[in-house]
Amino acid sequence: MSKPIKLYSHTFGPSPWKVAIVLKELELEYETQYLTQQEVKQEPYQKINPNGRIPAVEDPKTGVVLWESAAIIEYLISEYDTSNTLTYTTSPEKYQLKQWLYFQMSAQGPSFEQASWSIHFDPEQIDSAQQRTKNEIKRVLSVLNRALEGTEYLVGDKCTIADLAFVTWDAMIPWIFKNNPPDTASLYPNYHAWHQRITSRPAVQKILKEKDDLNPTTDP
C-alpha cells in the first residue's frame, strides 16, 4: 500500500483548505501537517516551497512535489480524477474551467487577502484602504453573480474544481467584514444560491467543519 499524499497546511489560511476539499471530493488518502507562519519561512519547509507559502503537497505515489494551490488542484485532477467527476475534457468547457480557476487565483484570492490584512491586521487601520478592499470583494461577487445567471454552476451542468476553488475564501466573508457582510441573498442572489449549493456537498461540509474545529476563535 502506498503512503498517503502529504498536504502542508495552516489551520486558518484558506488556500490549503481548497486543496483539502479536492482531496476529499476525490476520496484520496492524505495526511495534513499544519505549519506556523514562522515555520513556512524556514528550513526544512523552504526546501519544499522556496516561496515560503502554503499549501504544498508531496505525493509519494508519483514523487511529485508541488506548491501553489491551483497547480496542486490541476495536478490532482489530472492524476486522479480518471472519471472526470470534477472536470471536463470537452471544448469549450475545459478552457472555461481554467478561466474560472485563474480568476479565483488572480481576483478573488488577492482581493480577499488584502481586505483581511487592511481590516484585521494593519496597525494603521486606514479607512480608505478598508473601503477599497471591501468594494473589490463586492466586485468579485458581482462578477460571479452575473456569470451564474440562468445556470447552477460556473462551467457546464455539474460541480467542478472551478466552483470548489472559491469556497474557502467565500466562507471567510463574515469574518473579513467583522460579521457585517453584504446581504448576498438580496444583492447577489445567483451567487448566494450557488454558494449554498456548493457548500451543501458532503465533502465540502466535512472540510469546512474540520477547519472550524481547529479555529475556536475567529483570529489566526
Side-chain angles (χ1 to χ4, degrees):
M1 180 180 296
S2 62
K3 294 180 180 179
I5 294 169
K6 188 169 187 177
L7 169 63
Y8 293 92
S9 184
H10 182 269
T11 57
F12 192 76
S15 290
W17 295 93
K18 289 192 298 183
V19 176
I21 285 175
V22 175
L23 287 163
K24 185 68 71 174
E25 286 275 357
L26 294 176
E27 300 182 344
L28 296 174
E29 292 292 326
Y30 72 99
E31 61 182 18
T32 304
Q33 181 176 339
Y34 297 104
L35 301 175
T36 66
Q37 293 179 350
Q38 291 73 36
E39 287 172 327
V40 300
K41 303 298 184 184
Q42 302 169 354
E43 301 294 350
Y45 181 71
Q46 284 199 323
K47 286 188 172 66
I48 296 166
N49 183 356
N51 193 36
R53 303 290 294 273
I54 50 173
V57 295
E58 292 180 299
D59 188 348
K61 179 182 176 182
T62 62
V64 169
V65 177
L66 273 180
W67 44 277
E68 284 296 329
S69 58
I72 295 169
I73 289 170
E74 289 188 299
Y75 164 75
L76 293 172
I77 293 299
S78 176
E79 191 70 26
Y80 294 107
D81 189 10
T82 56
S83 57
N84 299 317
T85 57
L86 298 177
T87 191
Y88 282 96
T89 58
T90 53
S91 180
E93 291 85 2
K94 63 182 180 180
Y95 302 113
Q96 294 168 343
L97 190 150
K98 289 179 179 291
Q99 164 191 278
W100 285 110
L101 193 62
Y102 300 163
F103 176 75
Q104 189 281 317
M105 292 292 294
S106 65
Q108 188 214 33
S111 62
F112 282 43
E113 185 174 16
Q114 289 168 13
S116 300
W117 165 256
S118 65
I119 295 168
H120 289 272
F121 303 113
D122 186 354
E124 297 183 10
Q125 290 294 291
I126 301 171
D127 289 342
S128 61
Q130 293 182 6
Q131 191 57 52
R132 180 183 63 80
T133 56
K134 286 179 180 179
N135 288 341
E136 183 62 14
I137 288 177
K138 294 174 184 177
R139 187 191 73 81
V140 170
L141 298 181
S142 69
V143 170
L144 292 167
N145 190 67
R146 287 194 298 272
L148 288 160
E149 181 69 36
T151 185
E152 293 189 348
Y153 302 103
L154 288 173
V155 179
D157 58 0
K158 67 182 181 183
C159 177
T160 67
I161 54 173
D163 305 287
L164 296 170
F166 287 88
V167 168
T168 53
W169 267 119
D170 279 352
M172 298 283 286
I173 289 176
W175 173 80
I176 293 172
F177 281 80
K178 293 188 172 180
N179 295 317
N180 188 29
D183 181 3
T184 57
S186 61
L187 295 172
Y188 316 106
N190 302 322
Y191 160 84
H192 180 83
W194 167 76
H195 181 69
Q196 297 296 112
R197 188 176 304 116
I198 301 304
T199 54
S200 69
R201 295 174 67 85
V204 175
Q205 289 186 335
K206 288 178 182 178
I207 295 300
L208 292 179
K209 183 179 185 303
E210 184 179 328
K211 183 175 185 289
D212 286 344
D213 289 345
L214 289 169
N215 295 279
T217 61
T218 55
D219 289 323

